[in-house]
Amino acid sequence: MLGKGRGSSYEELDEESEGDSRFGVNKRALYEPSGMVDRVRRVIVSPKRACCIAIIVFLCILSIALIAAFSRPFVCCACKENVDSEPDSLVGQQQGNDSQSSLSSNGTSSVVTPPTATNGEPFPWTSVRLPDFVVPLSYSISLHPNLTTFVNKGTVNVTFTLKEPQKFIVLHVKELELSNFHLETGNTVVGVRKTLIYVKYEQLYIEFDNILGENVPYSLSIDFKGNLSEKLEGFYLSSYRTSAGETRYLATTHFEPTYARLAFPCFDEPSLKATFRVSIIREGRHISLFNMPIAQTKKLSDNLYVDYYNDTVMMSTYLVAFIVSDHLNVTAVTANNVTVSVYSPAEQLHQAAFALEVATSVLDFYDSFFGIPYPLPKQDLVAIPDFGAGAMENWGLTTYRETAILTDSNETSVGKIQQVALTITHELAHQWFGDLVTMSWWNDLWLNEGFASFVENLGTDHVRPEWNMMDQFVLSKTQPALQLDSLASSHPISVKVDNPSDIESIFDTISYSKGAAIIYMLESFLGKTTLQRGLKTYLNTYKYKNAKTEDLWRVLSLESHNMNVSLDVEAIMDTWTQQMGFPLVTIERKGNVVTAKQQRFLVGSSAEEDGVSSEFYSKYGYKWHIPLTYTTDKSSKPKLVWLNLGDAEFKVSSDVKWIKFNTNQTGFYRVMYSERDWRNLIEALKTDHTVFTAVDRASLLDDAFTLARNNLLDSTIPLEMAGYLTNETAYVPWITALECFMEMEMTLKERKSLRNLIEYFQRLLLPIVSEVGWKDQGTHLQRLLRPSILFIASHYGDEEVIDEALKRFREWKTNNVRCDEA
């Protein structure tokens, strides 16, 4: 989900639209292209400048503190002003009276003011979560979004039952005008005694005249009215301009995580699944779209029509979507007879062909991979002009920012084309992992996003096997996650969240990229077949339901036993999901005995401080179950040793010269070797770097430069290792190396040694600059590598590259000659 204002470029990260929610900004970054050129645009602050900034900030804070101290008004200690407080201590309590008692720190009883409704009355329900005794069954929603007045009017009729007799229910609602509350069961009408709204928790409390019975279906009807705002959340207004300059409007939705309540009153929690039936009134010049196909269309007047849609399957509110627009579409059918359509404005429809090809192909692949046919009759992919994030996995109606789905074969770069494919395969993976089976609550968000972020690579690899997506996986997922998770400000993958603001904050690199990386690690020690069989069992067991992380681990453990692997997956993976950070594995070799020791890798703090300074206490003491893999110069077949919350010792052949640990960087950890072993690895790289896979070469560079940057390894080791790059042509090692070069440059900024470092980098770059050239040709990975190499060469002052770039730019500007053809 990539949130930008109208007309904005996909790459313009420095100009956020006013409508961008924090959620959109967080998730948007996860869908942005991660090429070298994009990643090196960062702020570099010298030590002197940083010192000056720190001094200025300190003086400002001191001045503010002094002003506050001397200007504070006199307050009589004996007096207390009654404040309408909304204390966090109320969260989790059940229905109470108009006031509640609690114990103060000295043991005396004090009165806590309950939440206050908009009419000034106490709001009886005090938990941010909805009551667990309500079971929604179905929604019937009628909508009339007016694209002239920008107002949406509608009615929702929700059928529910209760697990126990109650006199009230609580729903979610936000920024809607409500009227005409009506409850009935069978032919009996139940009077509505009171309705209250609590803005902070976005809740609607409805109290009835009579006690509602257990397991009895009730039907609640509410009329509502709301504005089609430009917030990029809920049911909102978007627009685009035609080539003739005409502005055209559309109404579209974005409900994840907690925005369905902006569109209609509902039980807006992922575990409260129900079926949905929708009807939409529209003008004749528009079409409407919903999660399901249209059942029928009726004409209301000369220019008004109403579309009635088929009922959905059981699904969560955040996956509901509806759109009214004038988009056109291209359509194809999968091998399993699912209709796939890509919608866009008419003038951009020619850019939808690639998206249609990817979507059609990957749906068939996922049918086979998950072992469950896609459960809906159609899949629509819609290009939205204004979208707060890159894409959204609404079931059967996925939505995308225009630049995340549309491509022009003559203009779109190979990096952008690859990102479009990854975005589509990510959202379509969610149709199973997230939509068919949904996390019970947002603390298991990573279960949805981590798996989709892993499977997107498998899906794209199926569509374009020559792209080598699993090699690129370490660049897009593992290495960025390692960098972020080494900070004390990181967080565990699975974290407790309640408030909407907390939910939004966990849509980040940890949930997506680290989640994907540890699933890649899981696949490496379980095996592809075991993982795939386990996923099939998991999806079949919990389809149309909700699940928790431990449910998946339980299924995979059983599957491993069936495959004679016998691993306690839950015990292993809990050490990776319930504590932040990752281990540094230190290798010591004496003769043929190898000792592997683990400790947390934490930037800026010592290992002894791990469990003290962090806000996240770890019951595991920051120790992990580590699947330590390795290859040697005697055997390229990976071997596995387990470090189970401690260290390990094992033997290798006495004639082994070098050992490379963390094969293909499938493990989420770093490795520190002895100086002798580093030297042996460097010698092997310089003698014949192809004895290591491209990913292993990249992981050696990544570990060595990172450890040196954190003063755990002498800088001569990574710099000497980098010398082999004069013979390197592969994409993954080079992109890793360029990242490392930039990080080291930042570290040495304004130091005398920087000039020597840059000259060394220039020498390393000469052969690859000559190799890639300027023509946009070669394999996909060669075409991806070319702009990064030429950019970094110009960055380091290669005069030939700079002169050639300027010449080609002038040719394009003067004679309209493409830069790769000049």
Side-chain angles (χ1 to χ4, degrees):
M1 305 181 186
L2 306 158
K4 295 295 296 177
R6 291 190 186 88
S8 304
S9 165
Y10 185 49
E11 295 178 324
E12 293 170 346
L13 294 176
D14 53 339
E15 297 178 5
E16 295 171 11
S17 159
E18 288 184 11
D20 284 358
S21 67
R22 186 173 69 177
F23 167 73
V25 174
N26 285 344
K27 197 165 183 180
R28 172 181 62 214
L30 299 163
Y31 286 90
E32 293 289 358
S34 55
M36 184 65 206
V37 177
D38 299 295
R39 291 200 291 259
V40 297
R41 293 172 183 157
R42 62 190 74 180
V43 177
I44 299 176
V45 181
S46 68
K48 292 179 181 178
R49 196 172 300 169
C51 184
C52 292
I53 292 172
I55 292 171
I56 292 171
V57 170
F58 172 76
L59 291 175
C60 290
I61 293 173
L62 180 61
S63 300
I64 293 170
L66 290 172
I67 292 170
F70 287 103
S71 63
R72 192 171 65 186
F74 175 76
V75 179
C76 176
C77 295
C79 300
K80 282 189 177 179
E81 182 180 355
N82 285 327
V83 179
D84 179 21
S85 62
E86 297 166 352
D88 290 338
S89 62
L90 294 173
V91 174
Q93 298 176 13
Q94 296 301 311
Q95 181 192 17
N97 299 320
D98 286 351
S99 64
Q100 299 156 341
S101 296
S102 66
L103 289 178
S104 63
S105 59
N106 61 6
T108 60
S109 179
S110 62
V111 175
V112 178
T113 305
T116 303
T118 52
N119 65 355
E121 289 187 35
F123 191 83
W125 185 255
T126 57
S127 172
V128 70
R129 297 287 300 273
L130 296 183
D132 60 6
F133 54 75
V134 181
V135 181
L137 302 176
S138 65
Y139 293 81
S140 178
I141 308 168
S142 61
L143 303 164
H144 184 186
N146 190 315
L147 293 183
T148 302
T149 63
F150 306 139
V151 172
N152 176 52
K153 295 180 180 179
T155 300
V156 60
N157 191 304
V158 56
T159 301
F160 64 90
T161 62
L162 300 179
K163 297 179 182 178
E164 60 188 46
Q166 287 288 350
K167 204 174 183 179
F168 73 97
I169 62 171
V170 182
L171 299 85
H172 285 115
V173 69
K174 184 178 181 181
E175 298 177 11
L176 294 175
E177 296 178 22
L178 307 179
S179 60
N180 298 330
F181 293 83
H182 179 81
L183 181 75
E184 63 180 42
T185 177
N187 295 322
T188 304
V189 175
V190 181
V192 175
R193 174 178 294 181
K194 180 191 297 185
T195 61
L196 299 171
I197 291 178
Y198 181 41
V199 174
K200 180 177 180 181
Y201 289 167
E202 301 167 358
Q203 291 176 344
L204 166 65
Y205 172 91
I206 306 176
E207 187 175 310
F208 305 104
D209 289 338
N210 303 319
I211 293 177
L212 307 187
E214 180 180 354
N215 295 327
V216 177
Y218 290 91
S219 180
L220 173 67
S221 175
I222 306 173
D223 292 342
F224 58 88
K225 177 182 175 183
N227 294 322
L228 294 172
S229 69
E230 297 182 78
K231 283 186 174 181
L232 311 186
E233 57 192 36
F235 194 19
Y236 70 91
L237 187 69
S238 182
S239 66
Y240 69 93
R241 286 196 175 190
T242 67
S243 58
E246 179 188 358
T247 299
R248 297 187 178 179
Y249 293 98
L250 61 147
T252 185
T253 58
H254 176 66
F255 290 164
E256 187 183 32
T258 58
Y259 302 138
R261 63 195 68 175
L262 279 162
F264 58 96
C266 57
F267 300 97
D268 199 11
E269 294 185 0
S271 64
L272 299 178
K273 290 190 171 186
T275 62
F276 294 82
R277 174 182 297 176
V278 165
S279 63
I280 301 175
I281 297 174
R282 59 171 175 83
E283 294 181 54
R285 61 196 172 104
H286 293 136
I287 63 166
S288 72
L289 297 170
F290 178 56
N291 302 80
M292 295 294 287
I294 288 179
Q296 63 174 322
T297 298
K298 291 183 178 180
K299 189 172 184 178
L300 297 180
S301 64
D302 288 343
N303 194 39
L304 281 183
Y305 297 80
V306 57
D307 295 327
Y308 296 93
Y309 285 88
N310 292 323
D311 293 1
T312 71
V313 295
M314 294 289 288
M315 59 190 288
S316 302
T317 50
Y318 80 90
L319 297 170
V320 175
F322 28 82
I323 297 170
V324 176
S325 73
D326 65 351
H327 282 18
L328 301 181
N329 70 289
V330 291
T331 300
V333 179
T334 71
N336 289 327
N337 205 34
V338 175
T339 301
V340 180
S341 302
V342 180
Y343 288 82
S344 78
E347 293 177 352
Q348 296 171 287
L349 195 60
H350 67 283
Q351 299 178 14
F354 179 69
L356 184 65
E357 176 197 348
V358 172
T360 306
S361 176
V362 83
L363 278 177
D364 285 333
F365 170 73
Y366 286 156
D367 280 349
S368 173
F369 178 80
F370 291 120
I372 299 176
Y374 177 73
L376 304 184
K378 61 95 173 176
Q379 172 59 233
D380 295 334
L381 300 86
V382 186
I384 304 296
D386 301 301
F387 201 42
M392 179 61 207
E393 64 266 23
N394 315 303
W395 211 354
L397 181 57
T398 51
T399 46
Y400 304 79
R401 175 181 287 211
E402 288 180 342
T403 47
I405 188 172
L406 302 178
T407 60
D408 186 324
S409 58
N410 294 320
E411 301 295 336
T412 308
S413 69
V414 289
K416 290 286 185 67
I417 290 173
Q418 177 176 295
Q419 190 61 39
V420 165
L422 284 167
T423 302
I424 293 170
T425 56
H426 179 103
E427 302 310 325
L428 296 186
H430 273 308
Q431 305 297 294
W432 285 262
F433 227 100
D435 297 3
L436 182 64
V437 179
T438 311
M439 75 261 152
S440 294
W441 183 243
W442 297 103
N443 54 289
D444 283 328
L445 169 73
W446 85 272
L447 197 59
N448 282 9
E449 298 299 349
F451 260 93
S453 296
F454 171 69
V455 174
E456 72 184 35
N457 292 274
L458 303 180
T460 305
D461 196 59
H462 167 78
V463 177
R464 290 289 189 272
E466 69 274 15
W467 289 1
N468 294 345
M469 291 310 305
M470 293 316 295
D471 280 3
Q472 294 190 58
F473 182 90
V474 298
L475 294 177
S476 62
K477 300 296 188 291
T478 306
Q479 292 178 9
L482 286 170
Q483 185 175 34
L484 180 61
D485 206 31
S486 65
L487 304 176
S489 57
S490 184
H491 64 80
I493 284 180
S494 184
V495 293
K496 178 177 172 58
V497 292
D498 286 309
N499 290 316
S501 59
D502 297 330
I503 295 168
E504 293 171 4
S505 68
I506 61 172
F507 283 82
D508 63 5
T509 301
I510 296 299
S511 294
Y512 283 71
S513 297
K514 182 180 178 179
I518 68 168
I519 292 162
Y520 189 31
M521 180 173 66
L522 175 68
E523 182 199 60
S524 73
F525 67 77
L526 273 184
K528 293 181 180 179
T529 302
T530 303
L531 178 65
Q532 191 172 347
R533 286 167 61 101
L535 291 179
K536 180 179 178 180
T537 302
Y538 169 81
L539 291 171
N540 270 304
T541 301
Y542 295 99
K543 60 184 177 182
Y544 307 113
K545 301 175 185 175
N546 297 83
K548 300 178 181 179
T549 297
E550 52 264 33
D551 296 323
L552 176 61
W553 298 156
R554 192 179 306 113
V555 169
L556 291 176
S557 293
L558 289 172
E559 196 59 47
S560 75
H561 291 307
N562 294 337
M563 300 292 288
N564 297 316
V565 180
S566 297
L567 291 171
D568 187 344
V569 175
E570 184 172 3
I572 294 168
M573 298 305 292
D574 278 355
T575 65
W576 297 94
T577 62
Q578 295 184 13
Q579 59 183 353
M580 60 192 281
F582 60 87
L584 170 66
V585 179
T586 301
I587 303 298
E588 297 176 1
R589 186 151 64 111
K590 294 182 179 179
N592 67 336
V593 178
V594 177
T595 302
K597 299 180 179 180
Q598 66 165 294
Q599 67 180 54
R600 183 183 177 191
F601 181 77
L602 186 63
V603 171
S605 301
S606 66
E608 289 75 16
E609 296 173 335
D610 289 354
V612 179
S613 59
S614 172
E615 67 173 291
F616 294 105
Y617 166 77
S618 170
K619 65 181 180 180
Y620 302 104
Y622 289 101
K623 298 293 183 181
W624 289 262
H625 290 286
I626 306 173
L628 184 65
T629 55
Y630 67 94
T631 57
T632 71
D633 59 309
K634 303 302 180 184
S635 175
S636 59
K637 183 178 180 180
K639 295 183 179 180
L640 172 64
V641 175
W642 282 97
L643 278 66
N644 293 313
L645 302 178
D647 305 332
E649 188 174 280
F650 58 97
K651 293 182 179 181
V652 296
S653 175
S654 57
D655 60 345
V656 164
K657 187 171 184 181
W658 58 258
I659 307 179
K660 165 63 175 71
F661 287 91
N662 196 5
T663 306
N664 286 325
Q665 208 168 9
T666 54
F668 196 72
Y669 52 86
R670 295 200 180 278
V671 181
M672 175 70 166
Y673 302 88
S674 66
E675 183 174 352
R676 184 190 68 172
D677 283 326
W678 279 117
R679 298 289 179 190
N680 289 338
L681 289 165
I682 291 171
E683 182 182 348
L685 280 169
K686 290 184 174 181
T687 301
D688 180 11
H689 64 277
T690 62
V691 299
F692 304 101
T693 65
V695 177
D696 272 337
R697 302 196 296 269
S699 74
L700 284 171
L701 290 165
D702 186 38
D703 281 348
F705 274 91
T706 300
L707 294 170
R709 192 165 61 248
N710 289 280
N711 300 316
L712 296 174
L713 182 66
D714 192 298
S715 295
T716 58
I717 295 292
L719 290 173
E720 188 176 341
M721 180 183 291
Y724 100 90
L725 288 168
T726 54
N727 297 314
E728 182 64 85
T729 58
Y731 175 73
V732 176
W734 260 115
I735 295 300
T736 301
L738 299 185
E739 291 276 6
C740 294
F741 291 175
M742 294 299 294
E743 293 287 352
M744 183 165 279
E745 178 191 349
M746 290 168 62
T747 303
L748 298 179
K749 202 69 177 175
E750 297 190 2
R751 296 185 186 179
K752 293 180 180 179
S753 56
L754 179 61
R755 184 66 256 166
N756 293 332
L757 183 72
I758 289 177
E759 289 175 356
Y760 178 58
F761 290 162
Q762 287 174 329
R763 292 196 298 272
L764 296 179
L765 285 163
L766 286 174
I768 191 64
V769 168
S770 176
E771 173 75 19
V772 300
W774 286 85
K775 291 288 185 182
D776 186 20
Q777 61 189 14
T779 67
H780 176 76
L781 292 180
Q782 288 171 335
R783 294 175 70 197
L784 275 181
L785 179 60
R786 182 174 293 109
S788 295
I789 292 295
L790 295 177
F791 171 82
I792 209 73
S794 63
H795 174 76
Y796 286 138
D798 186 317
E799 293 184 3
E800 289 187 12
V801 171
I802 294 172
D803 289 344
E804 183 68 20
L806 290 172
K807 185 189 83 171
R808 289 171 180 267
F809 174 74
R810 284 191 291 266
E811 280 292 305
W812 168 79
K813 186 178 180 181
T814 305
N815 302 318
N816 198 29
V817 177
R818 289 173 60 100
C819 291
D820 63 315
E821 296 174 354

